[in-house]
Amino acid sequence: MQAEQRLRALQGQPLVFGPGVAGVDWIETHISWLLLAGDRVYKFKKPLKLDFLDFSTRALRRAACEEELRINRRTAPELYLGLVGLSGTAAQDLRLQPLEQAPQHAEPAVCMRRFAQEDLLLQRLQAGQLGGAHMDALAREIVRFHATAAVASPAQGWGTPQAVQAPVHGCLVALQALADGGWDALLPALQQLGPWCREQGNALAPVFEARRLAGRVRECHGDLHLGNLVLLDGQPQAFDAIEFNPALRWIDVVADIAFLVMDLQARGRADLAWRFLDAWLAQEGDFAGLSVLRYYTVYRALVRARVAGMRATQALPAPAQAAACAECARYLALARQCMQPRSVELWLAHGLSGSGKSTQALVLVQARGVVRLRADVERKRLFGLAPGADSAAIGGGIYTAQATQRTYGHLRQQACALLQSGYTVLVDASFLDPAMRAPFLALAQELGVVCRILAFEAPLAVLRERVRARQQAGGDPSEADEAVLQAQWAARQPFAAAEQGHVLQVDTTRAVDWDRLLPMVQTK
């Protein structure tokens, strides 16, 4: 291919990139070539025309480069430096210069700041250096990005039920073509996934439309996986958003985060997927979006299966082709796993301030894949406050009996919707008053789900020390101090006889063995 030969010639002439560049590294994706020279990266579009993109002319490639620069400066402005043009031939006079100064026939490319490959979140994960704190920071960054992203207007047509289902159908058609072409091993998965996607897509159509009208469809990233996330100056940032097809980035915000959730699951880190989701929900509050998360997670696994399937049909060495086939099959297996319903239960965290409710609730989120509703967070949300905000800023008043009643009513409403969407829900609240527990026990009975009261316990001296330490550290959504704790201790009541069958005592002064205390949530 002439275009590739020209870039290979450029790779062999490091001085074209500037003084001090001793060598040029090469990275190839299915739609781009990247040349890494010194502290810069130059990204060229392949002259391709596929069913989902068109880079077949220089004008189209230039437009794609301009769009790539625009959309990625939203999340990583210091990473995307500008556009350059390559002129000359493979034989002579190769030259790189700012695109506006380059000849009209110059080949466009995006110029980026180079970063260490080990700072990619994918590399961090593989090195065992990606943890919960990274997920919390990433969730905050994604919420910030989505909050500032352009919102689709109803007239644009983005996010309609038809627009949501079209790329899913496209993936299934492409994979079916591979199966019909002789790849019989794909058939069992596709025979399950095809009907499920159609049924779910049709059933969720009113939800897709409601979310579109509510402004949940935005100009998102579109390709939010670990390979497109990097730590820059210690902060996670997204790059390489989809520029070639606006339909793939003008999507529901849940469709955007579903790629990351799926990617973490695919790499054996469901715990981090749930940690990210928990942090995202705490910041965003879009619990209603979980009704479509499973559909979008299946779709994201199908996208990866499709890409791997495309790679498997290319002229590759036998080991690479076998790896692509195995990857395609692995993502199809994940898609089937994601579509399976899970058993649904309602868990109520009970305990005084400092008893370890929130700490252990987060452990259960990561280990069991449950959705946490945290009273301290939701109470502040009802009053327009961020999770870590100080309620004194609005003159207090969020801890009155009326505010508490409102908070628990909100938690019950959210729990009901989540249970009906197929999630086990953990309500992280004190639940010290039997009158506050009763509506939740009634909800579980009404929906026919198991209700467990996780009673977290520790001696008063331990509780006091934990409350003091939490206040000194700052930043926690809970604002309970020692006076609040003392009042709770004085007013505590035993469980009623009718509640005893639901209660699970949890001593938090020692390591909690949840595998022993609580049966695993099993897939139905």
Side-chain angles (χ1 to χ4, degrees):
M1 181 186 294
Q2 186 178 2
E4 183 174 358
Q5 291 173 349
R6 190 181 184 201
L7 291 180
R8 286 295 186 183
L10 178 63
Q11 183 188 14
Q13 301 179 43
L15 290 180
V16 174
F17 296 91
V21 177
V24 180
D25 295 326
W26 178 280
I27 294 177
E28 182 173 349
T29 72
H30 61 295
I31 62 173
S32 302
W33 292 299
L34 290 85
L35 277 67
L36 288 65
D39 61 355
R40 297 288 185 267
V41 176
Y42 300 87
K43 183 178 179 183
F44 293 84
K45 313 293 183 188
K46 291 182 178 179
L48 297 172
K49 186 172 184 178
L50 305 173
D51 59 344
F52 58 91
L53 65 83
D54 189 353
F55 293 162
S56 59
T57 69
R58 186 177 291 109
L60 288 170
R61 293 193 292 277
R62 176 169 182 153
C65 287
E66 291 171 343
E67 191 71 337
E68 180 172 359
L69 190 67
R70 179 188 71 82
I71 62 176
N72 284 292
R73 279 182 166 172
R74 299 175 302 165
T75 56
E78 67 275 31
L79 195 61
Y80 285 79
L81 304 178
L83 303 180
V84 297
L86 173 65
S87 56
T89 67
Q92 62 180 353
D93 300 327
L94 288 175
R95 186 180 181 189
L96 276 174
Q97 58 194 130
L99 189 58
E100 64 272 13
Q101 300 173 15
Q104 188 174 4
H105 63 271
E107 182 64 31
V110 177
C111 178
M112 302 170 61
R113 166 188 160 190
R114 187 174 181 178
F115 53 78
Q117 289 296 296
E118 56 264 29
D119 285 336
L120 282 171
L121 263 58
L122 177 58
Q123 298 294 329
R124 289 288 182 119
L125 181 75
Q126 293 172 343
Q129 298 173 347
L130 196 64
H134 293 112
M135 295 298 101
D136 296 343
L138 180 57
R140 290 191 295 270
E141 172 60 21
I142 299 304
V143 167
R144 183 209 61 77
F145 163 53
H146 285 161
T148 58
V151 179
S153 70
Q156 287 178 293
W158 307 123
T160 64
Q162 295 79 10
V164 170
Q165 295 177 67
V168 181
H169 177 70
C171 286
L172 291 169
V173 167
L175 290 163
Q176 187 63 51
L178 293 176
D180 294 341
W183 198 346
D184 295 341
L186 301 183
L187 284 173
L190 293 176
Q191 287 169 351
Q192 281 190 312
L193 287 161
W196 185 88
C197 288
R198 286 191 295 273
E199 292 168 6
Q200 287 293 305
N202 292 334
L204 291 170
V207 183
F208 297 142
E209 181 64 8
R211 290 182 62 77
R212 180 178 78 94
L213 296 176
R216 304 309 294 160
V217 174
R218 306 192 172 196
E219 189 178 30
C220 295
H221 185 280
D223 203 20
L224 201 61
H225 57 77
L226 292 169
N228 287 339
L229 293 162
V230 63
L231 286 178
L232 292 180
D233 302 322
Q235 294 299 314
Q237 295 188 22
F239 68 100
D240 205 16
I242 290 182
E243 83 286 357
F244 54 80
N245 188 338
L248 298 180
R249 68 174 182 272
W250 281 95
I251 55 176
D252 192 312
V253 294
V254 172
D256 214 24
I257 67 165
F259 213 147
L260 177 59
V261 171
M262 181 280 300
D263 197 27
L264 287 163
Q265 290 176 335
R267 300 180 188 282
R269 294 305 304 268
D271 60 323
L272 292 182
W274 284 101
R275 174 68 175 259
F276 167 80
L277 189 61
D278 179 76
W280 183 83
L281 288 167
Q283 295 291 325
E284 180 67 38
D286 188 9
F287 290 95
L290 294 185
S291 63
V292 296
L293 177 63
R294 190 162 53 134
Y295 180 84
Y296 284 130
T297 307
V298 169
Y299 161 54
R300 292 309 192 178
L302 289 174
V303 168
R304 280 307 182 94
R306 179 184 185 179
V307 171
M310 288 171 53
R311 197 162 60 250
T313 61
Q314 296 172 353
L316 298 173
Q321 193 170 54
C325 290
E327 184 177 338
C328 180
R330 187 169 66 252
Y331 278 111
L332 281 178
L334 177 60
R336 292 171 77 180
Q337 177 185 331
C338 290
M339 69 180 236
Q340 299 300 323
R342 295 163 59 98
S343 60
V344 177
E345 296 187 2
L346 175 61
W347 301 345
L348 309 180
H350 168 279
L352 305 179
S353 296
S355 61
K357 297 186 303 298
S358 296
T359 299
Q360 290 301 321
L362 186 55
V363 170
L364 286 169
V365 164
Q366 295 180 108
R368 303 298 179 89
V370 301
V371 177
R372 174 169 64 153
L373 291 169
R374 191 172 180 185
D376 291 323
V377 171
E378 297 309 305
R379 181 190 296 266
K380 291 185 176 181
R381 197 189 316 280
L382 287 172
F383 285 86
L385 295 173
D390 185 348
S391 65
I394 60 170
I398 76 170
Y399 296 102
T400 65
Q402 183 180 12
T404 297
Q405 191 70 38
R406 180 185 172 195
T407 299
Y408 276 77
H410 171 72
L411 291 171
R412 186 186 187 281
Q413 184 179 34
Q414 295 280 54
C416 180
L418 288 166
L419 292 166
Q420 291 175 325
S421 293
Y423 294 92
T424 287
V425 179
L426 171 54
V427 185
D428 178 6
S430 60
F431 281 112
L432 299 177
D433 186 345
M436 294 300 182
R437 298 192 295 268
F440 290 84
L441 290 166
L443 173 63
Q445 186 174 20
E446 176 187 328
L447 297 180
V449 302
V450 171
C451 183
R452 303 179 190 273
I453 301 174
L454 310 181
F456 296 95
E457 300 174 343
L460 181 57
V462 173
L463 299 178
R464 283 175 173 158
E465 179 57 34
R466 289 175 179 173
V467 168
R468 279 196 295 267
R470 186 173 65 197
Q471 282 193 298
Q472 289 172 1
D476 193 275
S478 175
E479 296 182 288
D481 56 18
E482 288 188 69
V484 170
L485 170 61
Q486 192 63 46
Q488 291 175 344
W489 182 269
R492 68 192 189 283
Q493 304 175 47
F495 291 107
E499 294 178 308
Q500 290 293 342
H502 300 280
V503 176
L504 182 66
Q505 305 287 348
V506 184
D507 179 1
T508 62
T509 62
R510 62 186 69 184
V512 180
D513 184 353
W514 286 111
D515 289 336
R516 181 181 63 82
L517 285 175
L518 197 59
M520 288 289 288
V521 177
Q522 299 292 332
T523 299
K524 287 183 180 178

